[in-house]
Amino acid sequence: MTSYASPNHYAVMGNPIGHSKSPLIHAEFARQTAQNLTYQALLIDTAPGEFAKAVKQFREHGGSGLNITVPFKQDAWQLATHRTPRAQRAGAVNTLWFDIEEKIYGDTTDGVGLVRDVLQNHGGQIRERRVLILGAGGAVRGVIEPLLEQQPNSCVIANRTVAKAQELVQLFSPLGTLRAATYAALHGQQFDLVINGTSASLQGELPPLPDNLLAKNAWCYDMMYAKQTTPFLTWGLQQGAQQAIDGLGMLVEQAAESFFIWRGVRPNTAPVIQLLRAPSCLMTTNSTLTVTNLSQL
Ligand code: ATR
């Protein structure tokens, strides 16, 4: 029987969740920083109301904080009674934490994770760079504000459905120079940093990108990661990208930011990224629980 009595219990909720590396990442953070905590992956039913019910039960059983992944980030935003400004604007929450009152706090740490990975782990630069973001879905919403904070020279959001990109431009343009584009409109333009935030890699697909999109020494960054090089990063290398980076570092960095919010301690991410890159680690965790009623645990 799992005990939630201590105020040191955390989990990630999503559906699917079996692939999640978060339990392994947080276990490593806890070991490294000598924090006494548990962290599990919880598979939550997608039927209406089930997510809110699961969060309530988790909390009632003494849970302290949660990571939230697909498809519940918007539900988590709704549920949060207090949101950080960046989460408020993004419309999505990936980190929840509670206090003794009824308050539920929400933040989104994905964008911070992306920026830290580019700047600190890879020694890159966003400031003064011409940035192109591919996609305008939930994943992209969470990263625009931290990217604009770096003061790029310009930032273009390209999407198949251009209306969604325009919507994001309207929402975020008070924070920096931002434009929307169709993929066709990218012909003749060049960028220093191209970030793939579409889910195309999941289907082994590539957005319809023109040749000569990459400026000299340009970097390509895929917010997804996989055992094999993603189609987008393969394209980037073929097009002469100086660096082609997958989203594993971003995953670890967003987790570190959540860990810091919950525990007030910042873990060292480099050894955890290294651990996850090891072939023996490229498997799914076996600590997933299917949850219908936490009180039955
Ligand atoms: P997520 O939460 O992963 O962002 P999402 O909100 O469904 O998922 O958004 C998926 C994004 O990937 C969208 O920008 C989508 O483009 P549309 O808005 O035009 O649908 C984009 N996308 C998915 N498959 C794609 C493909 N094969 N080529 C280009 N863009 C694709």
Side-chain angles (χ1 to χ4, degrees):
M1 179 163 166
T2 305
S3 167
Y4 291 102
S6 84
N8 297 317
H9 186 69
Y10 300 86
V12 55
M13 289 186 171
N15 191 331
I17 202 68
H19 65 287
S20 176
K21 299 199 185 308
S22 294
L24 179 59
I25 294 170
H26 285 279
E28 278 303 307
F29 287 167
R31 197 181 55 76
Q32 185 196 97
T33 59
Q35 297 277 306
N36 182 20
L37 59 85
T38 64
Y39 189 109
Q40 285 173 309
L42 302 176
L43 180 68
I44 306 300
D45 192 335
T46 53
E50 288 302 313
F51 172 73
K53 207 160 86 187
V55 173
K56 188 166 180 281
Q57 287 177 348
F58 178 80
R59 205 179 160 184
E60 283 169 359
H61 286 79
S64 306
L66 287 166
N67 280 137
I68 309 299
T69 189
V70 175
F72 299 118
K73 288 186 185 181
Q74 269 106 339
D75 301 80
W77 187 91
Q78 294 281 355
L79 210 60
T81 57
H82 294 68
R83 305 176 193 111
T84 61
R86 65 189 178 196
Q88 179 65 27
R89 199 182 295 266
V93 152
N94 77 339
T95 307
L96 291 174
W97 65 103
F98 317 116
D99 69 9
I100 42 169
E101 294 166 38
E102 286 300 294
K103 291 174 190 159
I104 302 178
Y105 296 92
D107 195 4
T108 175
T109 64
D110 291 327
V112 177
L114 167 65
V115 168
R116 283 221 181 102
D117 193 38
V118 171
L119 300 190
Q120 287 168 24
N121 298 338
H122 295 279
Q125 192 181 321
I126 298 168
R127 191 181 168 83
E128 295 300 322
R129 296 294 196 256
R130 292 163 291 176
V131 176
L132 171 63
I133 304 172
L134 310 175
V140 166
R141 289 182 83 95
V143 303
I144 297 173
E145 184 164 341
L147 281 172
L148 290 177
E149 276 170 9
Q150 294 299 313
Q151 301 184 312
N153 171 288
S154 57
C155 189
V156 174
I157 303 175
N159 198 41
R160 236 172 15 185
T161 316
V162 73
K164 278 161 73 179
Q166 284 161 342
E167 208 179 292
L168 293 188
V169 166
Q170 213 164 14
L171 186 61
F172 289 96
S173 56
L175 305 179
T177 315
L178 201 54
R179 279 188 295 124
T182 60
Y183 287 109
L186 297 176
H187 280 274
Q189 299 189 50
Q190 286 207 313
F191 298 90
D192 305 301
L193 174 61
V194 183
I195 298 167
N196 182 25
T198 72
S199 51
S201 291
L202 282 181
Q203 303 115 40
E205 290 173 6
L206 180 70
L209 301 172
D211 286 342
N212 301 318
L213 190 65
L214 302 183
K216 194 165 178 275
N217 300 328
W219 286 26
C220 287
Y221 193 104
D222 201 330
M223 285 163 58
M224 300 274 164
Y225 67 90
K227 281 179 216 172
Q228 286 85 28
T229 309
T230 66
F232 170 68
L233 294 183
T234 302
W235 172 88
L237 290 168
Q238 284 165 352
Q239 294 285 320
Q242 189 186 57
Q243 288 253 26
I245 305 165
D246 71 15
L248 190 67
M250 172 177 171
L251 175 78
V252 176
E253 293 296 339
Q254 63 80 29
E257 184 71 10
S258 298
F259 192 88
F260 179 71
I261 289 169
W262 295 328
R263 310 297 298 183
V265 183
R266 199 170 280 290
N268 182 7
T269 51
V272 181
I273 294 171
Q274 206 176 3
L275 177 77
L276 289 172
R277 292 265 179 229
S280 59
C281 251
L282 291 172
M283 54 186 182
T284 55
T285 155
N286 59 6
S287 61
T288 306
L289 297 178
T290 303
V291 173
T292 46
N293 183 351
L294 282 171
S295 59
Q296 291 165 353
L297 292 170

